[in-house]
Structures are given as structure tokens and as C-alpha cells.
Amino acid sequence: MTEPVPPALKRFIWDIQSMVELADDPREILMIGADLMGRLVAADDWLPGVFAAAGGAPFRQYQLYADGMERFCVVATVLSGGADLPLCQEPFWEILGVLRGTIHRQRFALLEGAAPGPRAPVKALPAGSVETFSPKGGDGLKIANASEVEVAIAIQVYGGEIGGLARRAITADGGASAFTSLYANPPEAPAYDILTIQTQIVD
């Protein structure tokens, strides 16, 4: 049985959906979305435990919301101590908020056949921090847990559905492979959908 949607997440999803429907361009989405994300990750007590478990794996990604039209998705990324996500070429805009722990994040230029080139220094993002990404020239993101011991959790909104999407992953020497995000939701905890957020929201 799916747990009720936490009120903070319900409000966030509702606002993100409205923004995606009404915003004129991605820059507006990122600006407004960053503010909404900041409010969501200002407190870390709303995420159900079933979506916060690393379960002994280096990382797990849980789908929190599935948009029926695949205009966006909301994902909880749980990183074990010392773990990172593969450096991937990102096809969508992205908004990241750090819910727990500290996350290292860096943008890279990914040129065909060449080693990844950092476009900026690594940013250390503590809990409550928000960063946005707009795809440009095939750039990619590297996201890692800053702690070797503690779990870190990021909430991410992508401008499309990443579940099952094969993205181009790049190694440190420029080698390429495919990385596919596979959601770790157990059968009893599927992603929330439009029906589960279409109840009265109380501010």
C-alpha cells in the first residue's frame, strides 16, 4: 500500500507541474524551480524511509513522481558513503536540491574521444543547497557523496523521464559507455502520480 504523499512533496510536485505548464522557456523553469526546490529541502523530515535507503548499493534512485506526459520526473538519489554517479551526458534540464549530507557536483565538457574537461571547480553542496543545470553542447554532470561514511540524499527534477533512458557515460580517459537509470522502487512503493496529488493542498 502506497503511503500518502507527504504534504511538502505534494505541494512541490503541484507547483512544479504548474510551472512546467506555464513557463515560457527553460531559463524561467530553472529560476522558479530553484526557489521551489529550496523550500522543499529546507527540512529533511518529509521523505518516506522507503525512498531513503541505500540498501548496501553504491547508489539507488527512486522515482518520487511520474508525470503522465513525461514532461518531467522527480527522483530521490541516495548515495552511500564514498559513492558517485557515472559522469553522463545530460539531455534534459535539471534542478538538484541536497536533502541530507554534502554532495560534490561538477560540470564537464564531454567532447567525442577526449577526456572530460571540467568547466568549473567542484562545488561542495551541504544540505539545503540547490543547483540547476541546462544542457549545453553535450555537457555532463559528476555527482558524488562528499562523505566516505554517511549517506547523502539529493532530490532531482529532470525535464524529461530518465527512467530506462540510456545516457552516454564517459570515463576519466574519455571512454564511452551507456548508463541507464533503473528505479529502485519496491512493488509496494511505486511513484506518486497525478491521482495521488489531486487532493486538497493546505498551506
Side-chain angles (χ1 to χ4, degrees), residues 96-201:
L96 175 144
V98 182
L99 188 69
R100 296 175 193 165
T102 298
I103 285 178
H104 284 162
R105 178 177 165 103
Q106 189 172 22
R107 183 171 186 145
F108 284 86
L110 303 181
L111 303 177
E112 193 72 37
R119 288 198 182 275
V122 177
K123 289 186 177 180
L125 306 174
S129 300
V130 176
E131 283 283 315
T132 64
F133 174 87
S134 179
K136 175 185 177 182
D139 280 5
L141 287 173
K142 184 70 173 177
I143 297 171
N145 188 346
S147 171
E148 294 294 327
V149 179
E150 302 295 332
V151 167
I153 301 177
I155 306 300
Q156 293 171 278
V157 181
Y158 289 94
E161 179 54 69
I162 65 163
L165 176 68
R167 288 175 283 172
R168 180 169 167 259
I170 307 298
T171 59
D173 61 1
S177 62
F179 170 70
T180 302
S181 291
L182 300 175
Y183 295 133
N185 299 56
E188 68 275 13
Y192 301 115
D193 58 21
I194 188 65
L195 297 178
T196 52
I197 70 165
Q198 280 187 333
T199 57
Q200 183 179 9
I201 296 175

Side-chain angles (χ1 to χ4, degrees), residues 61 71-73 75 90 93-94 156-160 162 167:
Q61 291 186 292
R71 298 166 298 179
F72 68 98
C73 65
V75 177
E90 299 293 350
W93 55 259
E94 178 245 22
Q156 293 171 278
V157 181
Y158 289 94
I162 65 163
R167 288 175 283 172

Side-chain angles (χ1 to χ4, degrees), residues 17-102:
Q17 180 174 269
S18 298
M19 176 193 68
V20 169
E21 291 174 350
L22 299 174
D24 292 328
D25 62 64
R27 289 177 298 177
E28 187 178 1
I29 288 175
L30 294 179
M31 181 178 68
I32 298 172
D35 180 65
L36 296 174
M37 180 66 80
R39 299 179 201 176
L40 180 66
V41 298
D44 75 346
D45 58 355
W46 55 266
L47 184 67
V50 69
F51 298 134
F59 65 86
R60 284 188 172 178
Q61 291 186 292
Y62 298 94
Q63 187 181 36
L64 298 182
Y65 182 73
D67 176 55
M69 298 174 65
E70 297 191 350
R71 298 166 298 179
F72 68 98
C73 65
V74 183
V75 177
T77 297
V78 183
L79 295 163
S80 296
D84 57 12
L85 291 178
L87 172 58
C88 290
Q89 193 170 44
E90 299 293 350
F92 305 123
W93 55 259
E94 178 245 22
I95 304 166
L96 175 144
V98 182
L99 188 69
R100 296 175 193 165
T102 298

